[in-house]
Amino acid sequence: MRRIILTLLLVIILAPLGYYGVTMYLPQSFPKPGKQVPIRLGSGTLESIQILHKAGVLPYPQMFRMAWILAGRPVLQAGLYDFQGHVSQENILQRLIHGQSRPLNVVIIPGWNLSLILQELRLKSPYVNLHGLPTGDQAAQQLAAAGIGAQDSAEGWLFPDSYRYVPGTSALSILKRAYHRMNDNLQHLWSQRAPGLPLKNPYQALILASVVQKEGAPPAQQAHIAAVFLNRLRQGMPLQSDPTVIYALGKHYQGHLTPQEMHVPSAYNTYLHVGLPPTPIAMPGLSSLQAVLHPSDSHDLYFIAQGNAYHYSTSYKQHIEQIKRYLQPTARTFS
């Protein structure tokens, strides 16, 4: 009670002096080292002040509110705020007004599939609002129905990048930003594509780019690998890409493909089916999208990956010769 009365007396005395009069005499707080306080998106001013008070950052919330009123009732920004050492209340107010908070980011890595992204949001993004985020085998279809993705699936449609957010940001809004980034990039690149590609629409380019991405080649090799796949499509040959089989196996994949697994009955198995998989198998990065839409000028139909070295060939006979010459126990073949 004495504390409240003292606060009110100070407010009455200092209010005529205006904002600077109040903030000049606001006491400092001494939060514990490394103190982090989340102010979530949508929190009102009074709620934000109470959160900071309960966290031990604002010893006199009534005086802080008076300073806020005299400052013109500015919007207090959501964010994750770090406090340590001696912190003046005026400094806290200015930081909240200008949103000087700790950066929070959701990162989508090229080659991740939707399952990994949803896992990242649920397990490693504690300040994201997960309301409405789907789970299970139908997540890709449910997200597409919510406007995140196209062709009835969100797989492949989230552009790899770092997306900044503040506490309380909806996971769906972050995914929607990633979808719009991918769609904008894809449409722009498609409009400038090389002539004569055996692709009917931007979605087919997205699918093939995801396969090129998952082949794991460095960017300098992606245009040549894309050319191999495109040449195979032209000739009606199966793509025969291991990552498509791995995607078909899903959680059953144990780190290496067995002869039995190579025959898994799935539309994604490009050893069994000619043409593209039904959807992308991962989120392709910008370089793999560019590689598919601007492939190397090559007639190659095969390649061998041996570490960072890649060997290409135009015929099966030449391919077998290269296998005998270059293949090591750690190498992967494409045939």
Side-chain angles (χ1 to χ4, degrees):
M1 180 63 70
R2 289 181 59 188
R3 185 174 181 177
I4 295 174
I5 293 173
L6 177 60
T7 300
L8 292 174
L9 287 173
L10 285 171
V11 168
I12 293 170
I13 293 170
L14 296 174
L17 299 177
Y19 168 75
Y20 291 104
V22 173
T23 56
M24 183 182 300
Y25 291 96
L26 279 174
Q28 290 187 336
S29 61
F30 304 91
K32 295 179 180 179
K35 184 70 175 181
Q36 292 185 344
V37 183
I39 302 298
R40 296 189 176 274
L41 196 66
S43 298
T45 299
L46 295 181
E47 182 183 358
S48 299
I49 291 174
Q50 284 303 310
I51 291 172
L52 292 164
H53 175 57
K54 291 179 180 179
V57 176
L58 295 180
Y60 297 98
Q62 295 89 349
M63 289 184 66
F64 186 87
R65 182 172 179 271
M66 176 59 70
W68 168 74
I69 292 172
L70 293 172
R73 300 176 182 265
V75 175
L76 302 185
Q77 304 289 336
L80 181 62
Y81 291 90
D82 286 322
F83 300 105
Q84 55 184 332
H86 298 185
V87 184
S88 73
Q89 307 296 277
E90 198 274 337
N91 175 264
I92 293 173
L93 181 58
Q94 291 301 316
R95 288 175 62 184
L96 290 166
I97 291 172
H98 297 291
Q100 297 171 346
S101 59
R102 182 189 183 103
L104 293 171
N105 296 280
V106 170
V107 179
I108 299 177
I109 304 297
W112 278 9
N113 60 25
L114 181 61
S115 177
L116 283 175
I117 295 172
L118 296 181
Q119 179 178 307
E120 181 79 6
L121 287 168
R122 293 186 180 281
L123 300 181
K124 298 183 181 180
S125 306
Y127 298 106
V128 169
N129 178 1
L130 300 177
H131 178 72
L133 191 67
T135 59
D137 295 337
Q138 299 302 312
Q141 290 75 20
Q142 292 173 20
L143 285 173
I148 302 171
Q151 303 293 328
D152 300 324
S153 176
E155 190 68 88
W157 279 106
L158 306 178
F159 190 76
D161 205 346
S162 178
Y163 296 90
R164 187 165 182 175
Y165 70 97
V166 295
T169 300
S170 165
L172 292 178
S173 70
I174 296 173
L175 296 183
K176 189 162 290 189
R177 286 162 55 195
Y179 163 63
H180 288 306
R181 285 283 306 281
M182 178 63 83
N183 191 48
D184 290 346
N185 276 288
L186 180 60
Q187 295 300 330
H188 174 71
L189 291 171
W190 177 259
S191 69
Q192 299 181 342
R193 66 190 181 279
L197 298 178
L199 302 170
K200 296 179 180 179
N201 51 52
Y203 189 55
Q204 289 192 346
L206 184 68
I207 294 174
L208 186 56
S210 75
V211 177
V212 171
Q213 181 71 59
K214 289 301 291 183
E215 283 292 331
Q221 296 290 338
Q222 287 180 336
H224 203 156
I225 290 174
V228 170
F229 287 131
L230 290 165
N231 290 337
R232 282 183 163 246
L233 289 175
R234 289 188 182 96
Q235 297 194 23
M237 298 174 64
L239 296 184
Q240 295 185 321
S241 173
D242 288 3
T244 65
V245 180
I246 293 170
Y247 186 83
L249 291 170
K251 296 178 181 179
H252 299 291
Y253 177 61
Q254 299 297 316
H256 65 280
L257 290 173
T258 65
Q260 295 78 12
E261 289 172 337
M262 297 299 291
H263 293 85
V264 58
S266 169
Y268 288 92
N269 188 339
T270 56
Y271 283 88
L272 300 181
H273 300 279
V274 175
L276 296 167
T279 73
I281 61 173
M283 311 300 164
L286 186 60
S287 64
S288 59
L289 288 167
Q290 292 172 328
V292 165
L293 294 170
H294 295 278
S296 297
D297 184 10
S298 167
H299 297 288
D300 291 321
L301 293 170
Y302 306 88
F303 70 79
I304 295 172
Q306 185 181 28
N308 292 326
Y310 284 74
H311 308 283
Y312 300 87
S313 52
T314 57
S315 68
Y316 185 69
K317 179 181 179 181
Q318 184 182 11
H319 178 58
I320 294 300
E321 291 174 352
Q322 288 191 343
I323 290 175
K324 294 177 180 179
R325 180 177 180 182
Y326 297 112
L327 188 60
Q328 301 295 327
T330 58
R332 181 171 55 79
T333 66
F334 178 93
S335 61

